[in-house]
Amino acid sequence: IAFSFQKPWLWDHRECWTGYPQQPLQPSLFWYYLLELSFYWSLVFTLPFDVKRKDFKEQIVHHAATIFLISFSYCANYIRIGTLVMVIHDASDCFLEPTKIFNYMKWKKTCDSLFMIFSAVFLISRLIIFPYTVLYNTYYYSMEIFQPFFGYYFVNALLTILQLLHVFWSCLIIHMVYKFILQGTMEKDMRSDTEESDKDEEREEIKEKEKNGISYFSNVTSNSYIQRNGSEPLNNRTHLTNGHVKER
């Protein structure tokens, strides 16, 4: 991300189309593209092994749209627009991964603080900066240079899909932040009924209940055995001071 801030088209959006399509591919941008494409392909490969959340279908659509967008923007030499999209997405993802780590570590205060920062960055970058910097740029500024063609419609369609997903996830994040403000603590991930950590706690509770159930069953069977032999349970007897047992 650091080298992208030095690019002129990050600040002057019309620079994305200056000299297009004769825009040389710089080595730094090539490696940035390669890393991002590799990352999203890794997410696709690991998706079947992840916890199935409520937004599983949305994740598939997001990964597919992102991979198509990165690949097509590279082939059509939409490199400058592609770097804008990736920088905007990476801005909030930098806070998301540490938030997950501290959540699994049970560092609640640190996790909640990072999540609030992530929420602010996500909402600003995806709902304000992305439409103005990218969508408006590709929809209007590009037509000042050349007439629309297939790449124009295809890229804008993919970017619109990403923006719809941004709105969907923003609603979930706003709901979690609202709950946090009311309750003072972050609730579980709204995308799933149970997180992995929640499932572990449920397993421990089930084991504890099963253990208690076994103990109760033992007590019941022991008392039944004593009663069948003509004696009362020990809890129905009184102990004398000399250690003998007196029947009630």
Side-chain angles (χ1 to χ4, degrees), residues 47 55-65:
L47 197 60
D55 64 343
F56 181 76
K57 295 180 180 178
E58 287 78 7
Q59 285 184 352
I60 295 177
V61 174
H62 175 268
H63 298 340

Side-chain angles (χ1 to χ4, degrees), residues 54-82:
K54 291 180 179 179
D55 64 343
F56 181 76
K57 295 180 180 178
E58 287 78 7
Q59 285 184 352
I60 295 177
V61 174
H62 175 268
H63 298 340
T66 303
I67 290 174
F68 275 114
L69 187 60
I70 293 176
S71 302
F72 183 80
S73 64
Y74 181 84
C75 296
N77 207 25
Y78 281 175
I79 302 297
R80 298 183 179 183
I81 285 294

Side-chain angles (χ1 to χ4, degrees), residues 92-200:
S92 58
D93 291 344
C94 292
F95 297 97
L96 178 60
E97 302 306 326
T99 302
K100 293 180 180 180
I101 293 174
F102 287 113
N103 179 45
Y104 297 142
M105 293 174 62
K106 305 298 183 181
W107 291 20
K108 289 296 296 179
K109 292 184 178 180
T110 305
C111 175
D112 293 346
S113 300
L114 285 174
F115 183 82
M116 295 301 292
I117 298 175
F118 160 77
S119 301
V121 175
F122 184 94
L123 296 176
I124 293 174
S125 62
R126 307 293 178 91
L127 299 183
I128 299 176
I129 298 178
F130 184 83
Y132 173 72
T133 304
V134 178
L135 293 181
Y136 188 84
N137 190 0
T138 57
Y139 191 79
Y140 288 105
Y141 289 163
S142 63
M143 290 192 296
E144 296 178 357
I145 308 299
F146 51 83
Q147 293 298 317
F149 66 109
F150 170 77
Y152 170 86
Y153 297 107
F154 186 67
V155 168
N156 279 284
L158 293 176
L159 293 175
T160 303
I161 291 174
L162 290 182
Q163 184 58 26
L164 293 176
L165 293 174
H166 295 164
V167 174
F168 170 75
W169 280 313
S170 295
C171 293
L172 297 181
I173 291 174
I174 292 173
H175 184 75
M176 293 181 67
V177 172
Y178 177 74
K179 289 291 185 180
F180 174 76
I181 294 175
L182 292 181
Q183 301 176 1
T185 182
M186 194 66 62
E187 66 175 16
K188 65 182 182 179
D189 196 336
M190 290 297 298
R191 299 174 302 162
S192 58
D193 296 326
T194 54
E195 279 279 14
E196 287 182 335
S197 56
D198 297 332
K199 290 181 179 180
D200 293 338

Side-chain angles (χ1 to χ4, degrees), residues 190-239:
M190 290 297 298
R191 299 174 302 162
S192 58
D193 296 326
T194 54
E195 279 279 14
E196 287 182 335
S197 56
D198 297 332
K199 290 181 179 180
D200 293 338
E201 293 177 359
E202 290 180 359
R203 293 192 191 100
E204 292 179 0
E205 292 178 359
I206 292 174
K207 289 181 181 179
E208 189 66 25
K209 289 179 181 179
E210 290 177 350
K211 186 185 299 183
N212 294 335
I214 293 173
S215 300
Y216 175 77
F217 180 75
S218 282
N219 293 335
V220 170
T221 52
S222 298
N223 291 339
S224 300
Y225 175 77
I226 294 173
Q227 290 175 352
R228 282 199 304 269
N229 285 273
S231 303
E232 295 182 0
L234 292 177
N235 55 7
N236 291 330
R237 304 178 184 182
T238 56
H239 292 269

